[in-house]
Amino acid sequence: MPTPPPTPHGSWPSPITAARLVAGAVRPGEVRVDGDDVWWSEQRPEEGGRTELVRRRSDGTCHDLLVGSDGEPTWNVRTAVGEYGGGAWAVRGGVVVFANWADQRLYRVDPGERPVPITPEPSTARGLRWSEPTWVDDDWLVCVRESHEQADVGPDGEAADALVALPLDGSATTDPARVRVLEQGPDFVRSPAVRGERVAWLRWDHPRMPWDGTELVVADVVRNDDGAPGLGARVVVAGGPEESVVQPGFLADGSLVFCTDRTGWWNPWRADGADLAAALGRATGRPAGDGDDGPVSTAALVEGGVEAEIGGPLWVGGLRWWADLPDGRLLATCRSGGRDRLAVIADGRLTPVEAPFTEITQVVADTGGGAVVIAASPVEGSTPHRVTLDDQGGATIERLTEAEELGIDPSWWSTPRHVTYPSAGGREAHALLYLPTNPEASAPPGELPPLLVLVHGGPTSAARWRLDLSRQFWTSRGFAVVDVDHGGSTGYGRPFRELLRGRWGVVDVEDAVAAAQHLAAEGLVDGARMAIRGGSAGGFTTLAALCFHDAFGAGASHYGVADLAALARETHKFERRYLDSMVGPWPEAAATYAERSPIHHTEGFAAPLILFHGSEDVVVPPAQTEAIVDALARRGVPHAYLLFEGEQHGFRRAETQIRALEAELWFYGRVFGFEPADPIDPVPDATGLDGP
């Protein structure tokens, strides 16, 4: 095969097109095991971003649950609790309970039957939202309810969270009083866990976020005259204003396992079942809601602890970082050095498990003695796998779906490497670096690749180490890509996560700029052709980097925050006080909000910028992006803007994802002077772009 002539970076032809990227690109979410069956959720861009439930039987066949008689999709398994959702479904004994996106009601699906509602119809559209349904017995669930009903909304206009018991028989649809409130008062409740007649859950209040501080509460179930569950005495087992607890769960012996960052890293700890019973006994007779602080002794499951995260930020419900195996061991996912690994915890020791995975988002015990995980690697996207362990910690791994036939040879994949680099103030920051990779193209001699700096959302989140075609889209066209874990990212311990306290818009921006400058100084990228992009909080970092620094020649903001004060005033309940810790209390710190908000410093914009937003975004309303667009137009800064009707915070539809990705490539081509190999429709009304 003849060697192709040299082609400028950015113009390399690639089979990884935007359409290929989303075609059939289902995204598995949560996984659950029910007897011999494995269930998982799939988000499907080609079905308008709808989430389906898939059942894999013991014979290996897979079936969609929620399709109409004509084969057309009719339901969308997604909850709006906390706006980001998660924990939208559960299954036991073949019975499925799920939240439907359109009306936010919970539905029950018996084997072979159609869904029927089991929650009351709210008086306002989508006014009652439900998540994390958990079986108490055959007749009752415990779950989280978020009420936007007028009777429940507080004087500040915020929805009310509650832990509730809900009958499975549908009687609450005609008698709303059948929904029994178990815990109400804290601003947030999450993560119910049940074993026998005992319940555990998490709670916290403004202004904390769940990665700042939560309380783990345990109570005994008491039965009312009609058999409905209630709660007896309760105790606070762990947590507090400066301790984050996630994923409580009971073991077969009645003990309670939970992950806490009290040592600086989320690690699993255990409270003995007998100690719990004694503490609950001492609490009996006290007024409901009074916690028994400190009577329960707890112990680390890994002696001396481990400098890895077994746990993470509770952005959504339904997260699982550990699973208890029938032989008493725990299988856990541990994050360090920018990647996830599997490990077995037993007898006070943590033993790594040999597995190819670099990202693991779910770990659930399997009835066969192992576990089912949602996992990915540098050469494979997120997929359900069964992991079976032997006595020595070795693992047999079985993929539970057929391999996706991308029709692309692995030689096209750019495998990232974790890099640590110096940043401002003597700090160190981290990133995943992808270099240009294309087996059928080469650059002209001496030409360095353009760089694309990616900034994750959150900002309390992290770069993801997995085969992600949205990264390969760029690297296969000749871009270098660096996915930044700036100060404040998770996966590096609590002290690193707290670098953003009072410093959002400073530390994250400095670390993104430092990543680009470091790679340019190393001679790996073209310092004159560096762009930055991000969505949501990453969009804010993008805008701030372009506004307050001159390191970048272009940028792309996807539904990014432009006005911190507007975000503090207008955003949804879950994040309404998020900025108290990262910027300062509002409105007392109004001057700091204005100082860091790009919308108040538009004179700093000079580099070309493309912006994207969804018309139905309630997290960051599109007015924020449109204010930046207006300012760019007034100042004559080259820019382009695309508003996608019907999209929310994060683009779910295939056509939106395709158009946004192609438009961004087209934009960089106009700015950096290359002609993409892909035929792309120009962005209408783009201004100030001459192109190659």
Side-chain angles (χ1 to χ4, degrees):
M1 183 175 183
T3 302
T7 305
H9 288 100
S11 296
W12 294 358
S14 171
I16 309 171
T17 62
R20 175 76 65 87
L21 189 150
V22 300
V26 299
R27 183 184 304 169
E30 298 169 35
V31 64
R32 300 291 180 262
V33 174
D34 182 42
D36 293 332
D37 296 337
V38 178
W39 294 74
W40 62 85
S41 56
E42 285 186 355
Q43 182 187 327
R44 299 176 174 177
E46 289 195 309
E47 297 179 12
R50 185 182 76 93
T51 298
E52 175 63 273
L53 295 181
V54 179
R55 178 185 188 181
R56 185 187 190 274
R57 299 181 182 271
S58 58
D59 62 5
T61 58
C62 294
H63 307 273
D64 290 356
L65 176 69
L66 301 170
V67 293
S69 57
D70 57 358
E72 290 297 315
T74 55
W75 304 88
N76 186 358
V77 181
R78 183 181 169 200
T79 177
V81 168
E83 296 303 332
Y84 295 111
W89 62 282
V91 57
R92 192 177 85 158
V95 177
V96 174
V97 173
F98 73 93
N100 183 45
W101 177 248
D103 59 10
Q104 286 299 293
R105 298 177 74 183
L106 277 184
Y107 288 76
R108 170 177 173 161
V109 189
D110 288 285
E113 301 295 328
R114 300 297 297 157
V116 294
I118 59 172
T119 56
E121 185 172 358
S123 60
T124 57
R126 307 171 88 233
L128 293 173
R129 305 174 183 183
W130 314 80
S131 73
E132 300 185 286
T134 305
W135 264 262
V136 178
D137 53 33
D138 291 340
D139 301 317
W140 288 88
L141 298 169
V142 168
C143 56
V144 174
R145 185 189 70 186
E146 182 183 274
S147 176
H148 296 252
E149 296 281 76
Q150 185 174 359
D152 296 323
V153 170
D156 54 6
E158 287 192 344
D161 273 26
L163 187 72
V164 302
L166 173 72
L168 273 155
D169 62 5
S171 57
T173 61
T174 56
D175 182 8
R178 292 280 285 162
V179 180
R180 306 298 173 86
V181 174
L182 306 178
E183 166 90 313
Q184 189 168 9
D187 289 323
F188 302 95
V189 295
R190 292 291 189 275
S191 306
V194 179
R195 171 81 71 166
E197 295 293 289
R198 191 161 289 163
V199 181
W201 68 95
L202 301 176
R203 68 187 186 192
W204 71 94
D205 290 311
H206 286 315
R208 298 193 304 274
M209 299 300 288
W211 44 86
D212 295 327
T214 57
E215 287 185 331
L216 169 58
V217 188
V218 176
D220 283 331
V221 174
V222 296
R223 297 288 176 166
N224 297 304
D225 292 341
D226 61 356
L231 293 184
R234 63 196 71 186
V235 296
V236 176
V237 176
E242 297 294 327
E243 179 186 352
S244 172
V245 178
V246 296
Q247 199 192 337
F250 292 99
L251 304 184
D253 64 2
S255 60
L256 177 67
V257 171
F258 55 95
C259 296
T260 169
D261 69 352
R262 60 179 56 161
T263 64
W265 299 82
W266 276 299
N267 276 199
W269 285 56
R270 176 180 176 270
D272 182 78
D275 284 350
L276 287 174
L280 288 165
R282 291 194 297 271
T284 300
R286 288 204 311 267
D290 282 6
D292 192 346
D293 298 321
V296 183
S297 61
T298 59
L301 288 180
V302 181
E303 293 178 5
V306 57
E307 290 192 352
E309 303 283 27
I310 305 174
L314 280 184
W315 280 105
V316 298
L319 299 174
R320 302 285 189 274
W321 292 275
W322 62 268
D324 56 319
L325 306 181
D327 60 9
R329 296 182 292 176
L330 261 61
L331 183 66
T333 175
C334 309
R335 185 170 184 83
S336 64
R339 60 164 291 178
D340 295 328
R341 296 170 176 83
L342 284 175
V344 169
I345 299 173
D347 301 322
R349 297 189 303 274
L350 182 144
T351 305
V353 173
E354 281 295 324
F357 309 132
T358 48
E359 181 184 76
I360 307 159
T361 56
Q362 292 269 299
V363 183
V364 177
D366 190 8
T367 53
V372 176
V373 302
I374 300 291
S377 75
V379 296
E380 183 178 62
S382 294
T383 310
H385 294 80
R386 177 177 282 115
V387 179
T388 305
L389 301 174
D390 59 32
D391 294 338
Q392 288 72 45
T396 301
I397 297 171
E398 175 192 6
R399 184 188 173 113
L400 298 184
T401 59
E402 294 184 5
E404 185 179 358
E405 292 297 332
L406 296 173
I408 301 172
D409 189 86
S411 62
W412 286 86
W413 305 144
S414 176
T415 301
R417 61 183 173 94
H418 184 259
V419 295
T420 299
Y421 59 91
S423 187
R427 295 192 311 272
E428 284 189 338
H430 307 273
L432 300 178
L433 174 62
Y434 300 76
L435 294 176
T437 302
N438 185 318
E440 298 179 5
S442 61
E447 182 183 279
L448 292 173
L451 173 67
L452 191 56
V453 175
L454 308 186
V455 185
H456 61 68
T460 309
S461 186
R464 297 301 182 186
W465 193 329
R466 65 187 177 198
L467 178 62
D468 186 334
L469 293 189
S470 67
R471 274 56 168 167
Q472 308 297 329
F473 176 88
W474 299 104
T475 57
S476 65
R477 285 166 174 75
F479 279 77
V481 172
V482 63
D483 204 347
V484 174
D485 271 340
H486 55 71
S489 301
T490 52
Y492 303 91
R494 184 171 183 126
F496 188 83
R497 195 167 75 241
E498 291 184 341
L499 288 175
L500 275 191
R501 284 204 167 185
R503 302 281 287 168
W504 190 33
V506 179
V507 167
D508 51 314
V509 175
E510 290 173 344
D511 288 356
V513 170
Q517 293 174 336
H518 172 73
L519 296 175
E522 291 288 305
L524 296 174
V525 302
D526 183 350
R529 295 191 297 168
M530 301 193 298
I532 183 170
R533 76 185 308 259
S536 189
F540 166 70
T541 303
T542 294
L543 293 172
L546 294 170
C547 182
F548 300 118
H549 297 265
D550 60 3
F552 298 103
S557 171
H558 297 250
Y559 37 90
V561 177
D563 186 345
L564 293 175
L567 184 66
R569 292 191 306 265
E570 301 169 5
T571 196
H572 57 110
K573 176 186 176 182
F574 179 70
E575 292 186 274
R576 187 158 291 164
R577 302 293 299 279
Y578 190 10
L579 301 191
D580 279 31
S581 63
M582 294 198 300
V583 181
W586 175 262
E588 293 83 354
T592 304
Y593 281 71
E595 177 186 342
R596 297 191 195 161
S597 295
I599 194 61
H600 297 303
H601 304 278
T602 55
E603 72 282 355
F605 285 106
L609 176 62
I610 186 169
L611 305 101
F612 307 89
H613 222 108
S615 66
E616 296 181 7
D617 191 337
V618 297
V619 177
V620 181
Q624 291 211 24
T625 285
E626 288 163 1
I628 292 290
V629 172
D630 291 343
L632 296 174
R634 288 194 303 270
R635 298 198 65 251
V637 177
H639 68 279
Y641 174 48
L642 284 172
L643 178 70
F644 296 105
E645 292 296 330
E647 287 283 9
Q648 295 118 36
H649 195 67
F651 300 149
R652 290 174 172 264
R653 297 173 180 171
E655 60 271 22
T656 301
Q657 295 175 15
I658 291 170
R659 180 55 173 151
L661 196 58
E662 290 183 339
E664 191 172 343
L665 174 62
W666 173 85
F667 183 80
Y668 294 145
R670 309 301 289 181
V671 174
F672 291 147
F674 64 83
E675 188 68 47
D678 312 66
I680 302 173
D681 291 334
V683 178
D685 302 321
T687 62
L689 299 171
D690 298 327

